Amino acid sequence: MSSCEELCRGWGPCAPSPMLLLSLLLTASPLGLLGEETRQLFEFDSTNTSDAAGKPPGKPYPPYSLAEFSWNNITDSLDPATLSATFRGHPIRDPTGAFASGTLALRVQAFSRSGRPAQPPRLLHTADTCQLEVALVGAIPRGNRSLFGLEVATLGQDPDCPSVQEQRSIDDEYAPAVFQLDQLLWGSLPTGFVQWRPVAFSQKQGSRDSAMPCQASPLYPTLAYLLPQSPIVRAFFGSQNNFCAFNLTFGASTGHGYWDQHYLSWSMLLGVGTPPVDALSPLVLGIMAVALGAPGLMLLAGGLFLMLGHKWQSEYQSIN
């Protein structure tokens, strides 16, 4: 199933086929998706916010451990046509009944060619990438304006964590009003990457009207996490014990939030090799062409008007 003759260990230069990537994601279970291990679902009381860097955005409630979730049978949602599947889970023990009608969904999708998803933030993908979408649906928050977040552990490069980059652009056609792209890179010449836009959505049909910020904490080394025990994950990544962790927080105390419709979604792109680079969209190129071309056309029209006016005056003869 691999597009390489031999299986690459770690983030190798050769790319697995979409089906291998999807198999890796599914066999890894929800706790170990392509080397990204989601560990806990956080909830904060945003009425007591903190603006200090690296501090929780409010008073934290006891977190939900994803290791203590019950997950659906993945074969029920596996769709070979779209190379996608969805894990849906809820806490095994839920004394408050917060997840009585709620679920945490992790949708994974591989791609057979380059393109963009239909829903924002429409990250550019290639055949060497997979998308992970996280959606919290219907869970009852423990506060009136609760913020949610995820703790994520990822493989590091001994002894360092992956490098973090922020890319800014004037182009926001595919993610309105979002001018930033965040990414983790493995190696100086990237052999693996994770990309996301710092935006989440409080409605299923993501749009500017339902957008809310996504904040990521700095990466820090940790030895508290073990590589998922799946044989295919160990075969792909090898024996690793160097992990780094970071936290993602969705929303702010003002504006749109989970409280709008008890819905929250966020997505990221994972892949091997060099990350895809966005070119300027046709819309922005058209705006730039008009903005830069209009003054030139005005100057040209003005020059022609002066030349024709001067010629008309030179041919005029007085009747006297």
Side-chain angles (χ1 to χ4, degrees):
M1 297 173 65
S2 175
S3 61
C4 306
E5 293 183 358
E6 296 180 0
L7 182 64
C8 299
R9 297 180 67 84
W11 291 106
C14 57
S17 69
M19 282 305 299
L20 177 59
L21 283 174
L22 184 62
S23 299
L24 176 65
L25 285 165
L26 301 183
T27 311
S29 82
L31 300 183
L33 299 169
L34 200 57
E36 298 288 325
E37 189 172 359
T38 48
R39 299 288 297 185
Q40 297 185 88
L41 174 67
F42 295 123
E43 184 178 354
F44 303 96
D45 180 3
S46 69
T47 59
N48 183 21
T49 59
S50 172
D51 296 330
K55 297 293 183 180
K59 179 182 178 181
Y61 294 101
Y64 298 101
S65 173
L66 270 63
E68 299 177 357
F69 270 48
S70 174
W71 300 94
N72 66 305
N73 187 340
I74 195 61
T75 57
D76 296 337
S77 63
L78 180 61
D79 185 357
T82 59
L83 297 174
S84 65
T86 303
F87 295 95
R88 290 186 175 88
H90 55 83
I92 298 175
R93 292 180 293 275
D94 186 18
T96 64
F99 279 82
S101 301
T103 60
L104 178 66
L106 305 176
R107 183 177 185 270
V108 294
Q109 182 176 11
F111 303 101
S112 58
R113 60 182 180 273
S114 299
R116 296 180 186 275
Q119 291 295 321
R122 302 192 63 191
L123 290 169
L124 177 63
H125 61 73
T126 66
D128 303 333
T129 60
C130 289
Q131 179 175 277
L132 167 64
E133 180 182 2
V134 181
L136 180 64
V137 184
I140 301 175
R142 287 171 282 188
N144 291 331
R145 300 180 72 86
S146 287
L147 302 182
F148 288 90
L150 285 175
E151 180 191 32
V152 180
T154 184
L155 291 171
Q157 289 179 300
D158 198 13
D160 299 322
C161 291
S163 61
V164 182
Q165 288 188 357
E166 293 182 359
Q167 296 183 352
R168 297 184 180 274
S169 171
I170 63 172
D171 196 343
D172 70 339
E173 178 180 359
Y174 302 111
V178 182
F179 301 93
Q180 182 176 328
L181 177 70
D182 296 338
Q183 57 186 13
L184 304 183
L185 301 177
W186 281 262
S188 55
L189 295 175
T191 53
F193 65 89
V194 175
Q195 284 185 335
W196 70 89
R197 288 191 181 273
V199 62
F201 298 97
S202 61
Q203 296 179 16
K204 189 171 183 179
Q205 299 297 326
S207 65
R208 181 184 299 183
D209 294 336
S210 63
M212 50 186 174
C214 167
Q215 299 179 349
S217 71
L219 270 77
Y220 55 89
T222 178
L223 298 177
Y225 304 98
L226 298 176
L227 192 70
Q229 298 300 310
S230 166
I232 191 170
V233 174
R234 286 196 172 276
F236 191 79
F237 291 106
S239 179
Q240 296 277 355
N241 57 10
N242 179 42
F243 281 81
C244 299
F246 64 101
N247 297 333
L248 295 165
T249 307
F250 311 111
S253 57
T254 58
H256 297 288
Y258 179 77
W259 50 80
D260 290 341
Q261 296 187 10
H262 285 184
Y263 182 88
L264 164 66
S265 68
W266 171 82
S267 59
M268 66 178 177
L269 196 71
L270 310 96
V272 296
T274 303
V277 178
D278 267 317
L280 290 178
S281 67
L283 175 62
V284 171
L285 288 176
I287 294 174
M288 293 176 64
V290 171
L292 297 176
L297 291 175
M298 292 176 65
L299 289 174
L300 179 61
L304 291 174
F305 176 79
L306 291 175
M307 291 176 61
L308 293 175
H310 177 73
K311 181 179 180 181
W312 179 80
Q313 290 181 1
S314 64
E315 294 177 352
Y316 174 78
Q317 295 182 0
S318 175
I319 60 176
N320 295 329

